[in-house]
Amino acid sequence: LDKSNSTSKNKFPDYFKFGAATASYQVEGAWNEDGKGENIWDHITHTNPTYVENEDNGDVACDSYHKYKEDVAMLKDLGVDYYRFSLSWSRILPYGVAGSPVNKLGIEYYRNLTQELLDNGIEPMVTLFHWDTPEPLQELGGWPNPEMEEHYAYYARTVFEQLGDLVKIWLTFNEPKQTCLEGYGKGVKAPAFTTTGMADYKCTHTLIKSHAKAYHIYDEEFKSKQGGRVGMVIDTVWFEPASGSEKDAEAAERAIQFTYGWYGNPIILENYPQVMIDRIDERSKQQGFAQSRLPKFSEEEVNYIKGTYDFVALNMYTANYAEWKEETDISDVGYDSDLNVHLFMDDSWEESASSWLRVVPWGLRKTVNWLSKTYNNPEIFITENGVSDRGGIDDPQRINFYREYLSNLVDAIVEDGVNVTRYTAWSLMDNFEWGSGYSEKFGLYSVDFSSPERTRTKKASADYYSQVISTRCLVDSCE
Ligand code: GBH
C-alpha cells in the first residue's frame, strides 16, 4: 500500500475506506416470511419474552427485509465505501443442517440487497454468522456439539456459491466470544446456557474449526474464480493495567489473551494462547478433572487452522482497567476464575446508554497497536465501533465519540504505522440491541419503532460522519 500521501495529521490515507454495519436479526424482521426458518433469537424471544428488556423482539425490527432500498439510499447519502451486513442462516437454510434444501427466496433477498449496493457504488462486506443460530441446530446441541462444523461448512459453501460472484469480503463469524461465553457460559445471549468453563470452551473449539473449514473451502473452491478474501471478526475491550506494576501489566496481557487471543492466536499464530492452556490445564487438574476443560487441537488441526485469515478484524468499543489478583477459590469452575483478573471501569470515563460501554478513545489506538505488535503487522479492519444513547436525532455525544476515536485511529495509522485500512461505524441505524431490546440506540439514523413504517431519520452524527468520509479528514482543513 502506498502511504506516501498519508503524512498529514488528521487525514486518513487515500486508500482508507469507511463503512457502516448492521446484522440480520437486529434489523431484518420478517422473521417467518418467505420460508425463513426459526433461529435461537426467534425462539428465546417467543418462548421467554422477559429475557429481553420491555419484552422486545426482532420480529419486525427495522423491517429491512422490506425496506432494504431505503437502507441503501441512506448508505449512499452517507457516502460510505462499503456496507457490512450479515446473512440469516435460517433464511437461507430453514432447517440449518448439512444437506438441507436452500430457500430460493432467502437467496433472492440477499442478491437483491447486494445488487442494490453495487448499483449504488457501495461494496458489500458480508458476515456469515452474527449470532442467529438456526433453532434446529441448537436442538442438536448448538456450538458445543462438534457436528456443527459440518453444518457450518455446508452453509458457508452454499453462500459462497450463491453470492460469491457479488461479494468479495467475507467475515465467517462476528464476535465468537459472545456466541460462546455469553451464549453458553454466562447466559446473557441466546441460547442462554450457563455452563461457563466448559460449554464456552467447547463452543469455541468447534467454532474455530468451523471457521478454518470455511476458509479452506473458499480458498480451494472459490478464491481463484471469485477473488475474494475471508477473515473472522473478533472483539475485545482495551485492557489498561491498573497501575505501573509488573503484576498489573501481566494481568492486562492475560486478559487480552483470554479475549482476542482466544480466537486470534489459533488463526493468526498457532493454537490457543499459552497462558490459557497453562492456567486451564492446571486449574482443571486441581479441580479433579481427568483432562483439561480447555479442549486440545491435534497437531494436524493446529496446522489446518493457522493462517486461515486474509486480514485481521476488530470490533472495539471501550476499555477496562485490569488489576492482578491473588488466586482464590480453586473450586470455582468458570471462565472468569480461569482468567482471574480484576476488571473495572473508571468512574471518570464518560458513560453511554450501555452499562458496559464508556467512552475511552485512546483505547482504540492502544488496541490496534497491540494487534499490530502481537500479530506481526497484519492488515487490520475495524469492523465495529460506536456508542449508544437513549435516542434523538441531535446527538452531540455520538459526534464527539466518533471524532475522538477516529482521531486516535488516524494517529495509530500516521504516527504509529499500524496498518488499519478500514473503519466501520456501528450502526447504520438504531436496531434490536439483543438483551436490551430497543432501549439502547447505536444508529447514525434513528428508526421510529412505534410506526409501522419504521421511518428512518438522519441524526446529526450522520452528517458528521459523512463529512469525515468525503474529506478523509477530522478537522475542517488538513494540510
Ligand atoms: C457488538 O457487541 C455486536 O457485534 C453488535 O451486534 C451489537 O449491537 C453492538 O456491539 C453494540 O452492543 O454482559 O449483558 O453487559 C459489542 C461487544 C457487547 C460484548 C456487550 C460484551 C456485554 C453484555 N460487547 N457485552 S452484558
Side-chain angles (χ1 to χ4, degrees):
L1 294 170
D2 176 19
K3 289 192 179 169
S4 54
N5 51 6
S6 69
T7 44
S8 169
K9 194 155 159 50
N10 290 322
K11 175 125 169 96
F12 284 89
D14 292 338
Y15 59 77
F16 196 85
K17 291 187 175 176
F18 291 94
T22 62
S24 49
Y25 188 75
Q26 296 181 272
V27 301
E28 282 180 3
W31 79 275
N32 62 353
E33 266 179 68
D34 290 347
K36 179 181 162 295
E38 189 188 32
N39 65 43
I40 57 173
W41 280 92
D42 298 319
H43 190 79
I44 203 164
T45 56
H46 295 160
T47 57
N48 182 12
T50 55
Y51 186 72
V52 174
E53 218 171 303
N54 302 316
E55 306 195 16
D56 288 336
N57 63 48
D59 288 0
V60 181
C62 305
D63 201 21
S64 286
Y65 187 70
H66 299 109
K67 299 175 84 73
Y68 71 89
K69 288 192 179 175
E70 275 185 47
D71 296 348
V72 175
M74 280 145 57
L75 290 156
K76 171 107 178 159
D77 191 43
L78 274 176
V80 291
D81 300 296
Y82 63 94
Y83 179 41
R84 176 178 174 231
F85 63 95
S86 84
L87 307 175
S88 159
W89 186 337
S90 308
R91 201 180 287 292
I92 292 173
L93 300 173
Y95 301 96
V97 300
S100 62
V102 177
N103 178 27
K104 287 211 176 61
L105 293 173
I107 296 292
E108 202 174 292
Y109 169 66
Y110 292 116
R111 287 198 69 87
N112 289 343
L113 166 59
T114 306
Q115 195 58 58
E116 183 76 7
L117 288 167
L118 293 170
D119 290 348
N120 282 281
I122 301 161
E123 179 189 18
M125 176 192 269
V126 177
T127 313
L128 274 71
F129 180 82
H130 198 123
W131 307 352
D132 43 359
T133 310
E135 179 62 19
L137 295 179
Q138 184 51 50
E139 298 194 6
L140 295 171
W143 289 102
N145 180 354
E147 198 184 280
M148 281 296 278
E149 183 181 342
E150 178 197 333
H151 303 308
Y152 184 80
Y154 175 77
Y155 167 56
R157 184 181 279 111
T158 302
V159 159
F160 298 148
E161 262 162 20
Q162 301 285 335
L163 299 164
D165 56 332
L166 304 178
V167 177
K168 304 300 161 198
I169 299 187
W170 295 106
L171 304 167
T172 54
F173 287 92
N174 177 69
E175 300 191 359
K177 175 165 160 268
Q178 268 41 268
T179 296
C180 294
L181 182 65
E182 296 192 342
Y184 296 91
K186 298 188 172 185
V188 294
K189 294 276 179 337
F193 288 107
T194 52
T195 314
T196 183
M198 293 189 282
D200 35 17
Y201 296 148
K202 284 183 184 290
C203 166
T204 294
H205 207 65
T206 302
L207 193 149
I208 288 173
K209 290 205 261 184
S210 306
H211 157 85
K213 188 145 192 171
Y215 184 92
H216 285 292
I217 287 173
Y218 191 80
D219 200 46
E220 285 153 28
E221 302 171 28
F222 299 93
K223 196 168 193 163
S224 62
K225 284 175 281 178
Q226 300 182 347
R229 294 192 285 167
V230 180
M232 180 197 270
V233 173
I234 308 173
D235 67 295
T236 187
V237 304
W238 173 249
F239 296 101
E240 181 69 12
S243 77
S245 78
E246 224 161 274
K247 284 196 157 169
D248 287 348
E250 184 195 320
E253 178 63 18
R254 188 195 303 167
I256 200 164
Q257 291 292 346
F258 266 72
T259 55
Y260 205 99
W262 189 7
Y263 298 89
N265 285 37
I267 291 165
I268 308 168
L269 300 175
E270 66 173 39
N271 212 342
Y272 293 123
Q274 199 57 45
V275 66
M276 283 192 86
I277 297 173
D278 292 347
R279 288 188 59 86
I280 301 169
D281 286 5
E282 177 57 25
R283 290 180 60 83
S284 302
K285 199 158 104 194
Q286 289 188 37
Q287 290 161 344
F289 286 83
Q291 66 212 25
S292 179
R293 288 179 281 101
L294 188 73
K296 303 265 182 252
F297 292 122
S298 69
E299 206 184 308
E300 200 186 327
E301 286 168 341
V302 166
N303 292 322
Y304 183 74
I305 294 162
K306 83 177 197 200
T308 55
Y309 69 101
D310 296 325
F311 47 82
V312 163
L314 168 73
N315 287 0
M316 190 279 178
Y317 289 84
T318 192
N320 283 180
Y321 277 118
E323 185 177 41
W324 192 88
K325 128 178 171 197
E326 289 297 337
E327 299 295 339
T328 43
D329 197 4
I330 187 65
S331 71
D332 190 66
V333 170
Y335 169 93
D336 285 344
S337 48
D338 287 336
L339 167 60
N340 197 56
V341 170
H342 177 224
L343 301 174
F344 60 100
M345 296 185 120
D346 194 319
D347 287 340
S348 74
W349 296 341
E350 185 186 328
E351 290 180 274
S352 71
S354 311
S355 58
W356 55 272
L357 200 177
R358 284 177 186 253
V359 181
V360 195
W362 47 264
L364 181 57
R365 183 172 180 178
K366 292 199 178 196
T367 308
V368 295
N369 270 280
W370 183 88
L371 287 177
S372 190
K373 188 177 92 227
T374 307
Y375 298 126
N376 310 313
N377 191 28
E379 180 175 1
I380 300 169
F381 298 170
I382 310 292
T383 36
E384 281 179 35
N385 178 241
V387 70
S388 60
D389 59 23
R390 295 282 168 199
I393 57 166
D394 181 26
D395 56 347
Q397 194 197 345
R398 181 169 291 102
I399 293 177
N400 184 57
F401 179 97
Y402 282 122
R403 183 192 294 110
E404 296 302 318
Y405 278 69
L406 285 168
S407 161
N408 274 275
L409 185 60
V410 91
D411 287 348
I413 296 168
V414 175
E415 289 179 24
D416 311 336
V418 175
N419 189 17
V420 181
T421 58
R422 291 179 186 248
Y423 175 87
T424 322
W426 182 272
S427 173
L428 173 61
M429 61 193 140
D430 296 344
N431 58 51
F432 178 81
E433 179 55 22
W434 309 110
S436 304
Y438 298 99
S439 67
E440 297 172 16
K441 323 270 192 191
F442 280 84
L444 292 164
Y445 283 76
S446 79
V447 176
D448 182 357
F449 293 101
S450 64
S451 119
E453 302 305 316
R454 294 298 192 273
T455 313
R456 284 101 159 104
T457 311
K458 195 176 196 179
K459 300 186 190 179
S461 57
D463 284 322
Y464 174 76
Y465 192 45
S466 275
Q467 197 196 328
V468 172
I469 297 171
S470 65
T471 60
R472 256 56 187 170
C473 197
L474 290 179
V475 289
D476 286 342
S477 63
C478 290
E479 282 118 64

